[in-house]
Amino acid sequence: MAKLSLRAVQKLTCKKRDAWWTVILVDPVATRMLIVMARFNFITPNRVTWAALFVGLGSAGFFLKGDMQSLIIGAALYHLSFILDCIDGKLARLKGNGTVFGGWLDYVFDRIRVLFCALALMGGQYLRNGDERFLLAALMVVFLDMLRYVDALQIYKMRMSMRTKIEKVTQERREAERVAAGENQAEPEEQQIRFMEDLLRENPEAEAELLKEQAGAGQVVDLHAQFRHRFPWYLRVRQALLRSRIRPHLISGIEFQMFVFIVGPLIGQILLTTVISAVLLGIFELIIMYKFWLSTRDFTHVMAELSQAPSGAGSIAPHLHRGRHRRGAQGDPLADPAFQAPPPYEDPGFQPYPEPYPSYEAQVPPAPEQPTQMYRPPGTQRHGHPAQGQQQVYAPYAVPPTHGYPGDREGVG
């Protein structure tokens, strides 16, 4: 490929927002290595990912030895492994040959590297010192690394889900309004819904209210309004950090790994560094969760404004008060076929609740043209004397049901 300047490579491959460790200590080295590696066609992003894994496993081998010299070499190798891990993505962006499988491979190898290095680092110190706290530290490092990345992926998934639902409801509502107004043309591009987080990402120096006015108040959805309202200083801090491409999440999974596997071994304070970095990571993760919770409240508010029907969130559907197999009276909305028992091929394991025991008052009397079968237990007396031509009447005694407890069958004639 054509020779590119360092500035051009940085503009093409570096992220607009990244961890401060990556911006300060990785990108200056990674971009220079990338200029050399990009000249060779046999160097692909996936091969760089494999190289990062092998260098990381070599770092774990030195960590296992446990002595100071091995710890320093292991820390240097881990940093080199992380640089290679950043280069694979930059190389894919530069050459445009990134793949979905490559992204998955990069993620999985990162977790493998952290797992082996954590077990080797803490296990090596335990073998040398016999301090069982290192074993607990190994479990803590692996757990927090897993929690951080699983939580990040889940929050990203839920954010995309919220955006998709808002876009869908907004489109359906606007289509209904156009149909009601007799308009058949498609929605113009300038009326497409926009999200405030996208506008701020594109214009990090701009004010949120100004961007909303420029785009049109009715076309912008803000899912971070409550967070900015409660912490008005956050936007100023964010803007100051973004001028240097540093994201506000100052202690993320990257900084946590670097402190545990590089700073701790270099200064000889592995346990102390691990505990401090774990506490800081936990604090920032709680902030992220709190911010996401406020975002879900903004989402609920936006959906309530878009929806024309009242929301039933938090209430029990009326048909759930009855079994779904119950049949309501004629005209009863609960008699909807949608609430009846499913066909056997849809739910083979469905067993309806048993019908309640019928009360004597609820029994339907026989038709007048059919003779009533009466029963008089032994020892009972007739009530009064019937008039001439009238049938003898006994005290009414309904025939007990033929189902229920065994005791209900006693006295049946």
Side-chain angles (χ1 to χ4, degrees):
M1 62 183 302
K3 185 177 180 180
L4 296 175
S5 65
L6 177 62
R7 188 176 185 85
V9 171
Q10 290 176 342
K11 185 176 181 180
L12 291 172
T13 61
C14 293
K15 299 178 181 179
K16 293 183 179 180
R17 299 188 305 168
D18 214 333
W20 63 266
W21 184 282
T22 303
V23 172
I24 298 174
L25 300 175
V26 175
D27 281 347
V29 180
T31 50
R32 288 171 171 81
M33 293 177 61
L34 178 63
I35 293 177
V36 178
M37 298 171 66
R39 299 175 183 175
F40 303 95
N41 292 330
F42 70 91
I43 300 180
T44 63
N46 287 352
R47 290 176 179 177
V48 176
T49 304
W50 279 98
L53 174 65
F54 290 139
V55 175
L57 296 180
S59 172
F62 281 96
F63 283 152
L64 188 59
K65 294 182 179 180
D67 59 277
M68 191 61 191
Q69 182 178 358
S70 298
L71 291 178
I72 294 176
I73 297 175
L77 288 177
Y78 192 89
H79 192 237
L80 176 60
S81 173
F82 184 74
I83 291 176
L84 293 174
D85 183 49
C86 293
I87 289 177
D88 60 2
K90 297 180 185 298
L91 184 62
R93 289 190 290 271
L94 183 63
K95 291 189 173 183
N97 57 352
T99 61
V100 176
F101 177 77
W104 172 85
L105 196 70
D106 180 54
Y107 175 80
V108 172
F109 282 2
D110 285 349
R111 309 284 70 75
I112 294 176
R113 180 181 58 196
V114 172
L115 173 63
F116 276 84
C117 287
L119 296 178
L121 177 62
M122 303 304 174
Q125 296 302 305
Y126 170 73
L127 294 176
R128 287 180 63 88
N129 304 325
D131 192 344
E132 297 178 352
R133 292 179 298 175
F134 286 101
L135 300 180
L136 296 177
L139 294 176
M140 181 175 62
V141 170
V142 174
F143 171 76
L144 289 177
D145 178 77
M146 175 194 68
L147 176 65
R148 162 64 193 135
Y149 282 91
V150 169
D151 182 55
L153 289 175
Q154 188 64 20
I155 287 180
Y156 174 79
K157 176 182 176 181
M158 297 306 297
R159 288 190 185 280
M160 293 299 103
S161 176
M162 291 190 297
R163 293 175 57 139
T164 302
K165 291 179 181 179
I166 290 176
E167 291 172 348
K168 181 179 179 180
V169 172
T170 303
Q171 182 179 3
E172 292 176 352
R173 182 174 181 178
R174 289 178 177 175
E175 288 179 357
E177 293 175 352
R178 287 197 300 271
V179 171
E183 302 176 0
N184 297 323
Q185 65 272 18
E187 184 177 6
E189 182 67 24
E190 59 271 12
Q191 293 184 5
Q192 294 292 335
I193 190 170
R194 301 293 302 275
F195 290 90
M196 179 60 69
E197 53 187 318
D198 295 337
L199 298 177
L200 289 175
R201 188 178 295 109
E202 297 170 0
N203 306 276
E205 298 293 334
E207 296 290 340
E209 295 300 328
L210 180 60
L211 292 175
K212 192 171 183 179
E213 292 178 1
Q214 293 176 351
Q219 310 299 326
V220 179
V221 174
D222 191 357
L223 296 180
H224 300 287
Q226 291 194 42
F227 184 81
R228 285 198 302 273
H229 177 73
R230 298 190 181 192
F231 306 96
W233 50 266
Y234 169 77
L235 194 58
R236 295 191 295 270
V237 174
R238 178 181 178 274
Q239 292 173 349
L241 292 174
L242 289 181
R243 295 189 187 101
S244 302
R245 294 196 304 112
I246 297 175
R247 63 188 181 190
H249 194 184
L250 298 178
I251 305 296
S252 63
I254 294 176
E255 289 81 9
F256 176 67
Q257 295 177 32
M258 300 304 112
F259 273 90
V260 172
F261 299 122
I262 296 179
V263 177
L266 290 179
I267 66 176
Q269 297 290 336
I270 297 176
L271 271 181
L272 179 61
T273 306
T274 301
V275 171
I276 293 177
S277 58
V279 171
L280 293 176
L281 177 66
I283 292 175
F284 273 87
E285 287 305 302
L286 290 177
I287 295 175
I288 292 295
M289 295 177 187
Y290 176 70
K291 184 179 179 182
F292 176 67
W293 174 67
L294 292 179
S295 182
T296 58
R297 297 184 62 180
D298 288 326
F299 168 75
T300 304
H301 178 69
V302 171
M303 292 296 291
E305 291 181 347
L306 294 175
S307 177
Q308 297 180 357
S311 174
S315 61
I316 301 177
H319 69 277
L320 295 181
H321 291 285
R322 311 162 61 106
R324 56 177 173 172
H325 61 287
R326 303 281 189 247
R327 294 183 178 272
Q330 186 175 3
D332 187 354
L334 298 179
D336 192 330
F339 303 142
Q340 306 305 320
Y345 62 85
E346 288 187 0
D347 194 356
F350 173 73
Q351 295 293 336
Y353 297 113
E355 292 288 346
Y357 296 120
S359 60
Y360 297 143
E361 294 78 10
Q363 292 183 358
V364 180
E369 61 272 14
Q370 297 180 358
T372 304
Q373 181 180 1
M374 307 300 293
Y375 171 76
R376 179 169 60 87
T380 57
Q381 300 294 329
R382 299 181 181 182
H383 294 266
H385 299 278
Q388 186 176 4
Q390 294 184 355
Q391 185 181 0
Q392 181 67 48
V393 179
Y394 302 99
Y397 188 89
V399 178
T402 58
H403 63 278
Y405 293 104
D408 292 337
R409 297 179 180 271
E410 298 178 0
V412 178

